[in-house]
Amino acid sequence: MSDQLQTNLGYTFKRHSLLKHAVTHASFVHEQKLNQSDSNERLEFLGDAVLELCISDFLYHRYPDMPEGDLTKKRAALVCESSLANLARSLSIGTFILLGQGEATEGGREKDSILSDVLESILGAIYLDGGLEEVRALILRLYEPIADKALNNKKDYKTTLQEYLQKTSHETAVYTIIKETGPAHKKLFTAQAAHKTKILGTGKGGSKKTAEQEAARMALKGLKVSV
């Protein structure tokens, strides 16, 4: 697997097959007629749990006076799909994902849902390859620079879209979940943002809320509204 990706991560795998497994998307497995277990979905499941543990421990010690409710909100902001995707972009992970041709053609290397899942898969792979302390070290390198800004900089695209629409209309944006795919533990939702029956944007996400935020972001992009 790519030496450059390992350089970007700051971690060298002893079992290189784990890294390849971590960047193998289900669309690639399907097109290549491989076994379902060859995709990164199980590693993503593991990495998600490892990430939550490490971030919880990090926040607990970094903010000793912060109440439980605020810790929960800050953790949610740090491990949400968009935050993970941005970290994946900072590591150029999209370049190394093994995608099916169809998914690649549809811009899969830049989709938040795919980038966030692959980063979690890589964290799961590092945990299996080097143990908890190795993956904790990477997580701290990624998150320490952004921890204090995590809540303050989190953009609410739905609010921004509503504020824009209110300048010319009393009607609010309406969000509809138009598609739901994937197994129960890993749903992918597709949402549409509409105003006065006109569809303004469509977005995907691992939760209904994330999909609606992405739909609002795409609507703002189409309306050429700066965010």
Side-chain angles (χ1 to χ4, degrees), residues 22-103:
V23 299
T24 301
H25 189 255
S27 62
F28 181 86
V29 169
H30 177 72
E31 285 192 7
Q32 298 296 318
K33 295 181 171 55
L34 303 175
N35 294 325
Q36 185 177 353
S37 60
D38 290 327
S39 81
N40 64 358
E41 291 179 347
R42 282 169 51 83
L43 280 175
E44 184 261 327
F45 166 80
L46 179 61
D48 176 68
V50 170
L51 176 63
E52 184 157 322
L53 170 63
C54 290
I55 289 296
S56 298
D57 180 74
F58 165 64
L59 294 175
Y60 180 86
H61 289 96
R62 186 178 179 112
Y63 306 103
D65 299 320
M66 184 175 286
E68 182 268 344
D70 291 341
L71 287 171
T72 299
K73 290 178 183 177
K74 185 171 276 290
R75 181 180 65 194
L78 287 170
V79 304
C80 71
E81 186 177 275
S82 59
S83 293
L84 282 165
N86 286 333
L87 288 173
R89 290 187 182 98
S90 74
L91 297 168
S92 300
I93 283 175
T95 306
F96 305 98
I97 302 174
L98 296 176
L99 284 175
Q101 287 298 316
E103 189 64 67

